[in-house]
């Protein structure tokens, strides 16, 4: 399984994109100032909470767009690799078939040449035998002629 390399920006969680983190509930924090709320410990107004939520939504949407883009590029690369693999397999099959055809043709040529050589050898052996027979016949005729004189 091949893992995608994600840039550091995309490895961050959605919470890291939010402008302001929500305070921990029920935890020990700084004591609130008496007689009024300090800036850090103050309750957020509805408008501030809405603004904070909007910023978080925007951050999450940006992260979604980035991750979708990364996914789309990965899918495109995957599809390109599949296509390349398909082309290479087709090329391999073509070469294999071509090699088989060449081998078959060369085998046919070899057998044809072998048959031709065997025919030629047989023809020449027959010619040699005929010439030997003629030579023997000529010697017998010559021998008969010499005895008949």
């Amino acid at each position: 399984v091949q893992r995608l390399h994600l840039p550091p920006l995309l490895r961050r969680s959605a919470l890291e994109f939010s402008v302001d983190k929500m305070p921990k509930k029920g935890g020990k924090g700084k004591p609130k100032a008496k007689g009024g709320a300090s800036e850090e410990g103050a309750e957020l107004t509805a408008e501030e909470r809405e603004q904070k939520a909007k910023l978080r939504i925007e951050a999450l949407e940006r992260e979604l767009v980035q991750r979708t883009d990364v996914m789309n590029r990965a899918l495109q690369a995957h599809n390109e690799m599949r296509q390349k693999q398909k082309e290479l397999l087709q090329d391999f099959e073509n070469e294999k078939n071509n090699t088989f055809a060449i081998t078959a043709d060369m085998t046919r040529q070899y057998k044809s040449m072998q048959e031709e050589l065997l025919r030629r050898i047989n023809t020449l052996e027959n010619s040699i035998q005929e010439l030997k027979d003629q030579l023997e016949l000529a010697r017998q005729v010559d021998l008969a002629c010499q005895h008949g004189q």
Side-chain angles (χ1 to χ4, degrees), residues 5-14 17 62-71 73:
H5 174 71
L6 295 176
L9 182 64
L10 294 181
R11 282 189 233 140
R12 294 183 185 157
S13 72
F17 286 102
R62 281 193 303 273
E63 182 180 3
L64 178 64
V65 166
Q66 290 172 338
R67 287 185 182 209
T68 302
D69 185 47
V70 167
M71 182 193 64
R73 282 185 270 139

Side-chain angles (χ1 to χ4, degrees), residues 73 75-85 87:
R73 282 185 270 139
L75 284 173
Q76 182 180 4
H78 174 76
N79 290 338
E80 288 172 3
M81 291 300 285
R82 286 278 187 197
Q83 182 62 32
K84 183 69 174 173
Q85 179 188 23
E87 290 171 8

Side-chain angles (χ1 to χ4, degrees), residues 22 43-55:
M22 298 292 288
E43 282 289 319
L44 297 177
T45 65
E47 258 182 43
E48 291 172 332
R49 283 191 305 251
E50 182 181 344
Q51 182 63 27
K52 200 172 186 182
K54 284 181 183 178
L55 290 173

